[in-house]
Coordinates of all heavy atoms in Angstrom, one line a residue:
R1 N 0.8 -1.2 0.0 CA 0.0 0.0 0.0 C 0.9 1.3 0.0 O 0.6 2.2 -0.7 CB -0.9 0.0 1.2 CG -1.9 -1.1 1.1 CD -3.3 -0.7 1.6 NE -4.2 -1.9 1.7 CZ -5.0 -2.2 0.7 NH1 -5.1 -1.5 -0.4 NH2 -5.8 -3.3 0.8
E2 N 2.0 1.2 0.8 CA 2.9 2.4 0.8 C 3.6 2.6 -0.5 O 3.7 3.8 -1.0 CB 3.9 2.2 1.9 CG 3.3 2.2 3.3 CD 4.3 1.7 4.4 OE1 5.5 1.4 4.1 OE2 3.8 1.5 5.5
T3 N 4.0 1.5 -1.1 CA 4.6 1.6 -2.4 C 3.7 2.2 -3.5 O 4.0 3.1 -4.2 CB 5.2 0.3 -2.9 OG1 6.1 -0.2 -1.9 CG2 5.8 0.3 -4.3
C4 N 2.5 1.7 -3.5 CA 1.5 2.1 -4.5 C 1.1 3.6 -4.2 O 0.9 4.4 -5.2 CB 0.2 1.3 -4.5 SG 0.5 -0.4 -5.1
A5 N 1.0 4.0 -3.0 CA 0.6 5.4 -2.7 C 1.6 6.4 -3.2 O 1.2 7.5 -3.6 CB 0.4 5.5 -1.2
G6 N 2.8 6.0 -3.2 CA 3.9 7.0 -3.7 C 4.3 6.7 -5.1 O 5.3 7.3 -5.6
C7 N 3.6 5.9 -5.9 CA 4.0 5.5 -7.2 C 3.6 6.5 -8.2 O 2.5 7.0 -8.3 CB 3.4 4.2 -7.6 SG 3.9 3.6 -9.2
P8 N 4.6 6.9 -9.1 CA 4.3 7.9 -10.1 C 3.4 7.4 -11.2 O 2.8 8.2 -12.0 CB 5.7 8.3 -10.7 CG 6.5 7.1 -10.4 CD 6.0 6.5 -9.2
V9 N 3.2 6.1 -11.3 CA 2.3 5.5 -12.4 C 1.1 4.8 -11.7 O 0.5 3.9 -12.3 CB 3.0 4.6 -13.3 CG1 4.0 5.4 -14.2 CG2 3.7 3.5 -12.6
Q10 N 0.7 5.2 -10.5 CA -0.4 4.5 -9.8 C -1.7 4.5 -10.6 O -2.3 3.5 -10.7 CB -0.6 5.2 -8.5 CG -1.8 4.5 -7.7 CD -2.1 5.3 -6.4 OE1 -1.8 6.5 -6.3 NE2 -2.8 4.6 -5.5
Q11 N -2.0 5.7 -11.2 CA -3.3 5.8 -11.9 C -3.2 4.9 -13.2 O -4.3 4.3 -13.5 CB -3.5 7.2 -12.3 CG -3.9 8.1 -11.1 CD -5.1 7.6 -10.3 OE1 -6.1 7.3 -10.9 NE2 -4.9 7.4 -9.0
E12 N -2.1 4.8 -13.9 CA -2.0 4.0 -15.1 C -2.2 2.5 -14.7 O -2.9 1.8 -15.4 CB -0.7 4.2 -15.8 CG -0.5 5.5 -16.5 CD 0.1 6.6 -15.6 OE1 0.0 6.5 -14.3 OE2 0.7 7.5 -16.2
R13 N -1.6 2.1 -13.6 CA -1.7 0.7 -13.1 C -3.1 0.4 -12.7 O -3.6 -0.7 -13.0 CB -0.7 0.5 -12.0 CG -0.6 -0.9 -11.6 CD 0.0 -1.7 -12.8 NE 0.3 -3.0 -12.4 CZ 0.2 -4.1 -13.1 NH1 -0.2 -4.0 -14.4 NH2 0.5 -5.3 -12.7
L14 N -3.8 1.4 -12.0 CA -5.2 1.1 -11.6 C -6.1 1.0 -12.9 O -6.9 0.1 -12.9 CB -5.7 2.3 -10.7 CG -7.1 2.2 -10.3 CD1 -7.4 0.9 -9.6 CD2 -7.5 3.4 -9.4
K15 N -5.9 1.9 -13.8 CA -6.6 1.8 -15.1 C -6.4 0.5 -15.8 O -7.4 -0.1 -16.3 CB -6.2 2.9 -16.0 CG -6.7 4.3 -15.6 CD -6.3 5.4 -16.6 CE -6.6 6.7 -16.0 NZ -6.0 7.8 -16.9
Y16 N -5.2 -0.1 -15.7 CA -5.0 -1.4 -16.3 C -5.8 -2.4 -15.6 O -6.4 -3.3 -16.2 CB -3.5 -1.7 -16.3 CG -3.2 -3.1 -16.7 CD1 -3.1 -3.4 -18.1 CD2 -3.0 -4.1 -15.8 CE1 -2.9 -4.7 -18.5 CE2 -2.7 -5.4 -16.2 CZ -2.7 -5.7 -17.5 OH -2.4 -7.0 -17.9
G17 N -5.7 -2.4 -14.3 CA -6.5 -3.4 -13.5 C -8.0 -3.3 -13.7 O -8.6 -4.3 -13.8
L18 N -8.5 -2.1 -13.9 CA -9.9 -1.9 -14.1 C -10.3 -2.4 -15.5 O -11.3 -3.0 -15.8 CB -10.3 -0.5 -13.9 CG -10.3 0.1 -12.5 CD1 -10.4 1.6 -12.5 CD2 -11.3 -0.6 -11.7
S19 N -9.4 -2.1 -16.5 CA -9.7 -2.4 -17.9 C -9.7 -3.9 -18.2 O -10.4 -4.4 -19.1 CB -8.8 -1.7 -18.9 OG -7.5 -2.2 -18.8
Q20 N -8.9 -4.6 -17.4 CA -8.8 -6.1 -17.6 C -9.8 -6.8 -16.7 O -9.8 -8.1 -16.8 CB -7.3 -6.5 -17.3 CG -6.3 -5.8 -18.1 CD -6.5 -6.2 -19.6 OE1 -6.6 -7.3 -20.0 NE2 -6.5 -5.1 -20.4
S21 N -10.5 -6.2 -15.9 CA -11.4 -6.8 -14.9 C -10.7 -7.9 -14.1 O -11.3 -9.0 -13.9 CB -12.7 -7.4 -15.6 OG -13.4 -6.3 -16.2
L22 N -9.5 -7.6 -13.6 CA -8.7 -8.6 -12.9 C -9.3 -8.7 -11.5 O -9.6 -7.7 -10.8 CB -7.3 -8.1 -12.8 CG -6.6 -8.0 -14.2 CD1 -5.3 -7.2 -14.0 CD2 -6.4 -9.3 -14.8
Q23 N -9.5 -10.0 -11.1 CA -10.1 -10.3 -9.8 C -9.1 -10.4 -8.7 O -9.4 -10.3 -7.5 CB -11.0 -11.5 -9.9 CG -12.2 -11.4 -10.8 CD -13.1 -10.3 -10.3 OE1 -13.5 -10.3 -9.2 NE2 -13.5 -9.4 -11.2
I24 N -7.9 -10.7 -9.0 CA -6.9 -11.0 -8.0 C -5.7 -10.0 -8.2 O -5.6 -9.4 -9.2 CB -6.3 -12.4 -8.1 CG1 -5.6 -12.7 -9.4 CG2 -7.4 -13.4 -7.8 CD1 -4.8 -13.9 -9.5
G25 N -5.0 -9.8 -7.1 CA -3.9 -8.9 -7.1 C -4.2 -7.4 -6.8 O -5.3 -7.0 -6.8
I26 N -3.1 -6.7 -6.4 CA -3.2 -5.3 -6.1 C -2.8 -4.5 -7.3 O -1.6 -4.7 -7.8 CB -2.4 -5.0 -4.9 CG1 -2.7 -5.9 -3.7 CG2 -2.5 -3.5 -4.5 CD1 -4.2 -5.8 -3.3
F27 N -3.6 -3.7 -7.8 CA -3.3 -2.8 -9.0 C -3.6 -1.4 -8.6 O -4.7 -1.1 -8.3 CB -4.1 -3.2 -10.2 CG -3.7 -4.6 -10.7 CD1 -4.3 -5.7 -10.3 CD2 -2.7 -4.7 -11.7 CE1 -3.9 -7.0 -10.7 CE2 -2.3 -6.0 -12.1 CZ -2.9 -7.1 -11.7
G28 N -2.6 -0.5 -8.7 CA -2.8 0.9 -8.3 C -3.2 1.0 -6.9 O -3.9 2.0 -6.5
G29 N -2.8 0.1 -6.0 CA -3.1 0.2 -4.6 C -4.5 -0.4 -4.2 O -4.8 -0.3 -3.1
M30 N -5.2 -0.9 -5.2 CA -6.6 -1.4 -4.9 C -6.7 -2.9 -5.1 O -6.1 -3.5 -6.1 CB -7.6 -0.7 -5.7 CG -7.7 0.7 -5.4 SD -9.1 1.4 -6.3 CE -9.6 2.6 -5.1

């Protein structure tokens, strides 16, 4: 959570997780 919170590409990673409908794993801190 700390790493994701300070990540410069957090939003891109979250968008990837959302676009792929991934059920497992932490993407963009979520």
Side-chain angles (χ1 to χ4, degrees):
R1 296 217 187 265
E2 292 166 6
T3 301
C4 290
C7 183
V9 294
Q10 178 187 22
Q11 292 302 308
E12 290 92 334
R13 191 62 173 146
L14 178 57
K15 287 178 189 175
Y16 174 79
L18 291 168
S19 71
Q20 301 299 309
S21 297
L22 299 169
Q23 296 297 310
I24 61 169
I26 306 302
F27 292 89
M30 295 189 147

